[in-house]
Amino acid sequence: MSATPTAEPVPTVTSSTELTASGVPAAAALALGDDALVLSHRLGEWAGHAPVLEEEVALANIALDLLGQARVLLSLVGDEDELAFLREERSFRNLQLVEQPNGDFAHTIARQFYFSVHQHLLYGQLAVTGGPFAGLAAKAVKEVAYHQDHAEHWIARLGDGTAESHERMQRACDALWRFTGEMFEPVDGLEVDLMALEARWLERVTAVLERATLTVPSGARTGAWSAGAGRQGLHTESFGRMLAEMQHLHRSHPGASW
Amino acid sequence: MTAVTADAYEAAFDAAVAADERIEPRDWMPEAYRATLVRQMAQHAHSEIIGMQPEANWITRAPSLRRKAILMAKVQDEAGHGLYLYSAAETLGTSRDELLDKLHTGRQKYSSIFNYPTLTWADVGAIGWLVDGAAITNQVPLCRCSYGPYARAMVRICKEESFHQRQGYELLLTLSRGTPEQHAMAQDAVDRWWWPSLMMFGPPDDASAHSAQSMAWKIKRHSNDELRQRFVDICVPQAESLGLTLPDPDLRWNEERGHHDFGAIDWAEFQAVLKGNGPCNEQRIDQRRRAHEEGAWVRDAAAAYAEKHQAAQHTESVEATA
């Protein structure tokens, strides 16, 4: 069949063991690329709404770093725009954590904190183990160190700020806790020691929360729905609406160049 | 201060302005000069942060990842420009909080252009090409403004703005050469943004309230009408290259003047938008106020944390020296 890419626009999800032309495990590139793409989009929703001008700059900065990472990773798998704008919700492989709505500033910070600590550890490992993602990870890990630092500073300020900020920060950390187990589910083609990663993640998160006078959430971090569901293409309700907004213009003009 | 020394200060100020020297924050300056600068720099800073809204409106719908990155970076630059300009204004003895409060309560203005809506993706291109283009035409002379901190802030801002203007032009060019629907989208955006862009230069010279004094102080270097003419002359050939038309049947080259003649501007619309009756005046200020109010607990927390932390550091250093 000689269909043009636009006539048959839905890229199929690559099978788990498939390698791209450059020898990169496609499923892993897609998982990491979708994490970055989706979180970048959520952060982009803050533009014009941030609590202080410095945060307009900071949140946009993090969003831009993540978008840059997403573009590199998705381009390893295929056409970045086809992958971003023409896949259906069930074909996205991002963590459910990163698709969670912004909520208040505390929720955005909690989401960023959980994810950045994880991403920093993961990319740190990928950078030194020399696999197919080593080059990308070595560059990204420097960016992510800043994201983590930014989030941790806000965890401290909000946790140990006023009574209201403490309560909001605690509530946000609690609410997103159940989405954090998924970060340590295996992803095909991603050669990392997940047990060690999880232990170091917990250690860091505990230290930062306690220093901020916050309580480490005690709820389950895995469950029937939340464990690994995003990586299998099962998402939460708000994600479909996010994609509808993100994809609408691109899909309204099939075959157009922008 | 006695009358004699006041006169001497004023004479020194006048001489510095006449010699094209920069006035710096610690220099003596007439109160009216200070007030004019605060008003103008605040309005400029407010325009940057309100101007984020119509463009941010399209970040989540940008049709390619490349365009999304460009747009996010642009909106981020505007926040950055707001930061420099508020800082520059603070050198005149005001504060960002005070200026934001004046914006939120309608006591200071921002550029009226941002009271128009961005209805399609092409509007992002039209804003870059026309609105940033008009802003640059206005702002390049401000790099030589008599007040040092403002002039220096403008050097950096103008560099970034001209980058934005080229990106907007390139976006429109892509649409103009794209599908018929994309071309129509680009033309529609130019049709809607052309006249408001011409209004960005302010009222005609004979009706401009602040112009003469600002020119004498070298805050302003060219009249509104001069800059408007310069902008029209720049845009006409660019529109031709874009393959788009400017919505003015009276637009034509005048050999004698060496400039383009253009049609009459609807100053009644300009005044109406300025007075608060544009399509988005309320929406823009409401969003700004809401972001500020909803962010209050975050700013309060940061202040409380800084205070605790500072107090703790102070105690530590006292203990260390004891």
Side-chain angles (χ1 to χ4, degrees):
Chain A
M1 197 175 78
S2 63
T4 63
T6 50
E8 195 60 56
V10 185
T12 49
V13 177
T14 47
S15 80
S16 57
T17 51
E18 192 182 321
L19 297 184
T20 67
S22 48
V24 172
L30 210 52
L32 300 183
D34 285 349
D35 283 349
L37 178 73
V38 170
L39 186 53
S40 166
H41 185 93
R42 284 298 192 203
L43 291 169
E45 292 173 355
W46 271 102
H49 300 273
V52 62
L53 202 43
E54 283 80 355
E55 285 307 302
E56 293 283 1
V57 177
L59 295 173
N61 208 51
I62 299 169
L64 279 165
D65 284 345
L66 290 167
L67 184 53
Q69 294 166 14
R71 295 182 66 190
V72 173
L73 286 158
L74 294 180
S75 297
L76 293 172
V77 182
D79 178 275
E80 59 174 23
D81 287 334
E82 278 184 36
L83 288 165
F85 296 103
L86 298 177
R87 266 184 301 163
E88 299 291 337
E89 181 179 339
R90 294 281 276 107
S91 302
F92 276 80
R93 288 291 177 265
N94 56 284
L95 298 163
Q96 289 183 352
L97 175 68
V98 297
E99 77 202 28
Q100 295 311 304
N102 287 338
D104 67 3
F105 189 67
H107 278 78
T108 290
I109 291 299
R111 184 183 64 196
Q112 197 65 45
F113 170 57
Y114 289 156
F115 182 74
S116 297
V117 173
H118 157 76
Q119 202 192 13
H120 191 247
L121 291 168
L122 175 66
Y123 280 33
Q125 272 203 28
L126 292 175
V128 295
T129 47
F133 297 111
L136 163 99
K139 179 177 179 284
V141 78
K142 293 179 199 145
E143 297 168 350
V144 177
Y146 163 77
H147 307 170
Q148 182 179 340
D149 188 60
H150 172 264
E152 290 184 355
H153 272 98
W154 275 113
I155 295 273
R157 288 187 201 108
L158 300 180
D160 193 17
T162 63
E164 180 184 2
S165 72
H166 178 88
E167 195 196 317
R168 283 178 183 260
M169 196 64 247
Q170 185 66 58
R171 211 184 303 148
C173 288
D174 292 348
L176 294 172
W177 188 248
R178 70 189 186 92
F179 296 105
T180 58
E182 190 185 0
M183 297 190 288
F184 309 102
E185 294 292 316
V187 174
D188 285 304
L190 213 51
E191 307 290 331
V192 282
D193 181 349
L194 287 163
M195 294 260 286
L197 203 73
E198 183 163 24
R200 290 179 65 194
W201 183 86
L202 258 177
E203 191 185 336
R204 181 72 190 182
V205 165
T206 302
V208 172
L209 292 181
E210 285 178 352
R211 206 182 323 134
T213 73
L214 294 162
T215 307
V216 178
S218 53
R221 291 178 41 247
T222 56
W225 185 257
S226 63
R231 295 283 190 236
Q232 294 149 25
L234 287 173
H235 295 279
T236 47
E237 284 184 347
S238 66
F239 186 54
R241 227 167 292 121
M242 190 203 105
L243 285 186
E245 181 172 343
M246 181 173 107
Q247 297 182 335
H248 133 263
L249 177 58
H250 185 99
R251 285 181 182 264
S252 300
H253 297 263
S257 299
W258 300 96
Chain B
M1 201 189 298
T2 66
V4 177
T5 53
D7 285 350
Y9 278 123
E10 182 135 26
F13 171 85
D14 289 343
V17 170
D20 273 334
E21 286 168 18
R22 292 268 192 267
I23 306 301
E24 295 298 335
R26 287 159 186 274
D27 294 342
W28 184 90
M29 61 188 82
E31 272 317 302
Y33 175 84
R34 184 187 300 273
T36 297
L37 278 169
V38 169
R39 180 180 55 76
Q40 185 172 332
M41 289 161 78
Q43 178 165 335
H44 192 164
H46 299 332
S47 300
E48 295 284 355
I49 64 167
I50 294 283
M52 294 169 71
Q53 291 182 27
E55 294 180 282
N57 183 36
W58 282 93
I59 287 178
T60 54
R61 292 176 289 171
S64 75
L65 297 185
R66 175 174 163 264
R67 290 290 178 200
K68 189 171 182 167
I70 291 172
L71 183 57
M72 274 207 278
K74 184 187 177 192
V75 174
Q76 183 191 33
D77 281 347
E78 282 155 10
H81 296 171
L83 279 174
Y84 313 152
L85 287 164
Y86 285 120
S87 300
E90 283 180 336
T91 64
L92 291 163
T94 179
S95 71
R96 197 204 303 179
D97 282 347
E98 195 180 327
L99 298 177
L100 282 176
D101 187 55
K102 285 183 176 161
L103 170 66
H104 297 156
T105 52
R107 285 175 294 154
Q108 281 178 344
K109 295 196 179 308
Y110 55 89
S111 178
S112 262
I113 192 81
F114 301 119
N115 291 318
Y116 291 87
T118 48
L119 301 178
T120 74
W121 170 250
D123 289 29
V124 172
I127 288 188
W129 178 44
L130 294 173
V131 176
D132 291 329
I136 295 163
T137 309
N138 260 330
Q139 290 169 6
V140 164
L142 287 173
C143 299
R144 295 185 295 123
C145 153
S146 59
Y147 187 57
Y150 193 25
R152 288 188 288 273
M154 290 317 302
V155 172
R156 184 161 171 190
I157 290 173
C158 282
K159 273 186 200 151
E160 293 181 352
E161 293 288 3
S162 68
F163 195 58
H164 298 164
Q165 196 260 352
R166 285 199 295 276
Q167 289 170 333
Y169 178 88
E170 194 259 333
L171 192 163
L172 282 179
L173 187 64
T174 306
L175 293 180
S176 180
R177 292 178 176 175
T179 65
E181 292 78 14
Q182 286 177 306
H183 180 88
M185 194 193 280
Q187 184 61 59
D188 168 61
V190 169
D191 288 348
R192 282 181 289 111
W193 288 93
W194 173 250
W195 290 108
S197 300
L198 293 190
M199 295 177 197
M200 284 176 69
F201 297 92
D205 293 348
D206 50 21
S208 175
H210 304 290
S211 282
Q213 182 60 71
S214 287
M215 299 268 277
W217 278 330
K218 294 186 182 171
I219 294 173
K220 201 176 161 106
R221 297 274 181 168
H222 306 279
S223 80
N224 294 353
D225 287 332
E226 272 170 45
L227 292 169
R228 190 168 10 246
Q229 181 70 60
R230 186 180 295 177
F231 178 67
V232 171
D233 290 340
I234 291 169
C235 287
V236 171
Q238 290 183 349
E240 274 169 33
S241 309
L242 282 171
L244 298 171
T245 55
L246 296 171
D248 179 358
D250 298 325
L251 191 64
R252 63 180 56 84
W253 177 250
N254 180 327
E255 192 68 51
E256 213 169 291
R257 292 201 307 124
H259 291 291
H260 292 87
D261 290 337
F262 54 96
I265 292 172
D266 182 356
W267 292 112
E269 175 178 320
F270 175 77
Q271 291 300 339
V273 177
L274 199 65
K275 286 199 173 77
N277 298 320
C280 301
N281 298 56
E282 273 184 51
Q283 177 189 330
R284 300 289 185 238
I285 281 294
D286 279 354
Q287 180 179 325
R288 184 85 266 300
R289 234 186 260 143
R290 199 164 54 246
H292 192 73
E293 282 164 12
E294 286 173 2
W297 70 271
V298 176
R299 297 189 302 275
D300 290 348
Y305 177 83
E307 204 172 307
K308 277 187 216 176
H309 202 67
Q310 230 169 27
Q313 259 183 353
H314 180 70
T315 314
E316 271 169 35
S317 64
V318 170
E319 280 166 2
T321 51

